[in-house]
Amino acid sequence: MTFAASTFYRLPGTAAVLTIFMAATLLPLSFTGGVVTTPAIQRMLGGSPGELSWLTNGFMLTFGSFLLTAGIAADAIGRKLVFLTGAALFCLSSIFTVLTNNLMMSGMLRCVQGLAAAMSLASGSALIARLYTGAARTRMFGLLGTVFGAGLAFGPLAVGLITDMLTWRWVYILFAVLSGGVLLAGMMFLPVSQQSSQSVSDKTGLALFTAALMGFTTAMMLLPRRGFSSLLTLALFLSSVLLFSGFIARCLRVSNPVLEISLLRSPSFVGAMLLPVATCYCYVVLLIIIPLHLMGGSGFSESQSAVYLLALTSPMLIFPYFAALLTRWFSPAVVSASGLVLASAGLLLLSPALHGDSITLLLFSMLITGAGAALPWGLMDGLAISSVPVEKAGMAAGLFNTVRVAGEGIALAVVSAFLTKVNDLNLNKTVHGFAPQEIHLAASWLGGGNIQQAIALLPGVPRKLVQVSYDNAYSLLFQVLAAITFVCAIIVWGMPGYKAHDLATAKTDSRDEHIKD
């Protein structure tokens, strides 16, 4: 029976997609919550820059590393089961985070939350692909981008206000309540999910891929503190290369691979996977470094920094869905590339604005950057899912979101390593009388956006000298990010396979919307 056959079947479908949207709001809340609450957690539990970074990095590590596994599991054992398991894990990990007073345990629980988020996102995307087809599916993915953007827009403000007025623990109480609500709603409203993939999952391939990605991402996260010369970092890089090689060989050899290499022959699918890489550098990293800069460098409170961040995040409420409407007249390549060019211009303005006295220029540059990044953000999920057969929707969602989230974790590590290295070089030129490891530790705090801790490690050094190093590192970073974004825009503009008619099929197709789970 079709999804639109009767009001009776229309209501469960609506409730199901609202449940998925509720989970989609929770994920960016958790992502930004780990950032905004970091200074408050540091004041209560202490910790080094490396230990504190795992409050964000631990989440990103498991989130990105297990997305493909979660997508395959959704295809193999059922979307609903994977979705509900993810919601339950998220709820339990949030409860234990509230109760712990150990920073290391908090980092481990954030890793569990990342795993839970991977299960919810991959299975939720696959559920939407099953519930809707054609133009209706495009609209739902556009709305999904808008909902996700709403979490990014108001999440930092909500988390900041809760942290200021109560404590950071209440943020995780909120996460527990919301994920518990998602769990209950999923049990009630999601359609009964059955195994949709008849072949047994290649467990060896899954293990190879997950281990390779975790090793590579961990190595990138260790770069700011250990550098390339560290034996541990080199060992992780080498092992990840060997594991990735083994994974590819495995996929080409077995009859039921984790990843069908044929998916990578689709120009539209490959092009869609480039878009999240671009938005990592023009948007996602800013969600981390700007609040840390405002709190640690300018002395803002959690809620004050979140209010300023609204200029960057609020365009996500409108522009993702607006981008889907623009594809009626322009190809997705033109819409996406134009957005990236706009974001690149905003980054160039942000370089002087963040360190100047003009609040207007600062807010305007953040608004332009956010609006530009939001245009491809609203298209890339639907492009990735719609470019593959529906029976491979879970695999495509897992691979696409793996590239997106793992890319975000890697981008954050690269940015942190860049800021630390530039500050290290600057301080070594201007600061004398301190051991190299002392200067490197101070540079690590500056790379994490905490100028007060850096100054405390360099007694007698004028604050202005440290501030100059801090500001120069951020200015250079924004120029590099602008260049990366612009290069991505040029590539996307010329990418074949992005046709406007691929995103909106005939009305007869949209009537054939089946619930197959």
Side-chain angles (χ1 to χ4, degrees), residues 189-201:
F189 300 121
L190 292 182
V192 176
S193 184
Q194 299 176 350
Q195 180 176 338
S196 60
S197 177
Q198 298 301 318
S199 60
V200 179
S201 298

Side-chain angles (χ1 to χ4, degrees), residues 24-282:
T25 304
L26 179 61
L27 299 186
L29 269 177
S30 179
F31 172 66
T32 57
V35 180
V36 176
T37 59
T38 294
I41 293 175
Q42 191 270 330
R43 290 192 295 269
M44 180 177 291
L45 303 181
S48 66
E51 292 170 334
L52 292 166
S53 70
W54 281 95
L55 296 175
T56 300
N57 289 345
F59 181 88
M60 299 302 295
L61 174 64
T62 52
F63 194 3
S65 298
F66 284 95
L67 270 169
L68 182 58
T69 303
I72 299 298
D75 281 339
I77 64 176
R79 280 89 171 166
K80 180 174 182 176
L81 177 60
V82 173
F83 186 90
L84 295 179
T85 303
L89 278 177
F90 206 104
C91 184
L92 289 173
S93 60
S94 298
I95 292 172
F96 284 117
T97 302
V98 174
L99 300 176
T100 186
N101 286 311
N102 185 283
L103 185 59
M104 181 179 295
M105 180 60 68
S106 297
M108 294 175 63
L109 289 169
R110 287 288 287 169
C111 291
V112 175
Q113 282 192 335
L115 171 61
M119 298 173 75
S120 298
L121 180 59
S123 57
S125 297
L127 276 166
I128 291 178
R130 283 288 182 177
L131 288 168
Y132 299 96
T133 60
R137 182 193 293 171
T138 302
R139 288 194 298 270
M140 288 301 104
F141 276 110
L143 286 173
L144 181 65
T146 302
V147 170
F148 202 88
L152 290 175
F154 296 109
L157 180 58
V159 171
L161 289 173
I162 292 172
T163 304
D164 280 349
M165 293 188 297
L166 301 170
T167 67
W168 62 268
R169 296 187 191 276
W170 281 92
V171 173
Y172 289 92
I173 291 175
L174 174 64
F175 293 164
V177 172
L178 290 178
S179 55
V182 169
L183 177 61
L184 292 176
M187 294 172 64
M188 295 172 60
F189 300 121
L190 292 182
V192 176
S193 184
Q194 299 176 350
Q195 180 176 338
S196 60
S197 177
Q198 298 301 318
S199 60
V200 179
S201 298
D202 179 19
K203 296 180 181 179
T204 301
L206 283 173
L208 285 171
F209 179 83
T210 303
L213 190 53
M214 288 189 71
F216 182 77
T217 308
T218 302
M220 293 298 299
M221 291 174 177
L222 290 176
L223 277 180
R225 288 163 295 283
R226 292 179 175 266
F228 281 106
S229 60
S230 168
L231 289 178
L232 178 58
T233 304
L234 290 174
L236 286 169
F237 275 128
L238 179 60
S239 62
S240 63
V241 170
L242 294 176
L243 289 167
F244 272 126
S245 300
F247 170 72
I248 293 173
R250 179 82 181 177
C251 289
L252 292 172
R253 187 171 65 250
V254 300
S255 58
N256 56 326
V258 171
L259 172 64
E260 291 190 8
I261 304 300
S262 60
L263 290 179
L264 302 179
R265 300 192 187 109
S266 169
S268 58
F269 184 67
V270 174
M273 289 198 298
L274 178 63
L275 293 175
V277 175
T279 55
C280 283
Y281 292 95
C282 69

Side-chain angles (χ1 to χ4, degrees), residues 137-149 275 279 315-316 318-325 327 332 335-336 370-383 400 404 503:
R137 182 193 293 171
T138 302
R139 288 194 298 270
M140 288 301 104
F141 276 110
L143 286 173
L144 181 65
T146 302
V147 170
F148 202 88
L275 293 175
T279 55
M316 283 291 173
I318 301 173
F319 283 83
Y321 196 68
F322 179 62
L325 296 178
T327 57
V335 176
S336 300
L375 288 177
W377 192 285
L379 298 176
M380 53 192 185
D381 288 270
L383 281 169
F400 171 77
R404 173 164 62 184
L503 294 178

Side-chain angles (χ1 to χ4, degrees), residues 417-472:
F418 181 90
L419 289 173
T420 299
K421 186 62 177 180
V422 172
N423 278 293
D424 204 354
L425 293 173
N426 290 341
L427 293 177
N428 272 292
K429 291 179 181 178
T430 57
V431 174
H432 306 286
F434 295 90
Q437 57 267 31
E438 292 176 313
I439 292 179
H440 181 72
L441 181 57
S444 296
W445 280 112
L446 291 177
N450 196 322
I451 195 171
Q452 296 297 335
Q453 290 286 346
I455 292 173
L457 291 172
L458 303 172
V461 177
R463 178 188 177 93
K464 183 177 180 180
L465 190 150
V466 179
Q467 186 76 49
V468 168
S469 173
Y470 185 70
D471 291 345
N472 288 344

Side-chain angles (χ1 to χ4, degrees), residues 265-497:
R265 300 192 187 109
S266 169
S268 58
F269 184 67
V270 174
M273 289 198 298
L274 178 63
L275 293 175
V277 175
T279 55
C280 283
Y281 292 95
C282 69
Y283 184 73
V284 176
V285 295
L286 302 185
L287 299 175
I288 306 297
I289 64 175
I290 288 181
L292 291 178
H293 182 281
L294 294 176
M295 290 185 290
S298 303
F300 284 27
S301 69
E302 285 82 357
S303 56
Q304 287 174 323
S305 67
V307 169
Y308 273 75
L309 195 64
L310 280 174
L312 177 71
T313 58
S314 57
M316 283 291 173
L317 295 173
I318 301 173
F319 283 83
Y321 196 68
F322 179 62
L325 296 178
L326 286 177
T327 57
R328 295 180 180 179
W329 303 281
F330 306 98
S331 73
V334 171
V335 176
S336 300
S338 299
L340 293 178
V341 171
L342 186 62
S344 180
L347 285 167
L348 289 177
L349 287 175
L350 191 59
S351 177
L354 198 61
H355 309 119
D357 297 326
S358 175
I359 295 178
T360 302
L361 179 60
L362 174 61
L363 296 178
F364 178 74
S365 61
M366 292 170 66
L367 185 66
I368 292 298
T369 305
L375 288 177
W377 192 285
L379 298 176
M380 53 192 185
D381 288 270
L383 281 169
I385 299 297
S386 299
S387 59
V388 301
V390 68
E391 63 270 13
K392 299 299 180 184
M395 179 183 291
L399 178 60
F400 171 77
N401 286 308
T402 295
V403 171
R404 173 164 62 184
V405 180
E408 291 169 358
I410 293 170
L412 290 173
V414 169
V415 166
S416 179
F418 181 90
L419 289 173
T420 299
K421 186 62 177 180
V422 172
N423 278 293
D424 204 354
L425 293 173
N426 290 341
L427 293 177
N428 272 292
K429 291 179 181 178
T430 57
V431 174
H432 306 286
F434 295 90
Q437 57 267 31
E438 292 176 313
I439 292 179
H440 181 72
L441 181 57
S444 296
W445 280 112
L446 291 177
N450 196 322
I451 195 171
Q452 296 297 335
Q453 290 286 346
I455 292 173
L457 291 172
L458 303 172
V461 177
R463 178 188 177 93
K464 183 177 180 180
L465 190 150
V466 179
Q467 186 76 49
V468 168
S469 173
Y470 185 70
D471 291 345
N472 288 344
Y474 272 87
S475 294
L476 182 59
L477 172 66
F478 289 132
Q479 294 168 21
V480 172
L481 295 179
I484 293 173
T485 305
F486 187 74
V487 170
C488 289
I490 295 175
I491 297 174
V492 170
W493 190 285
M495 184 67 66

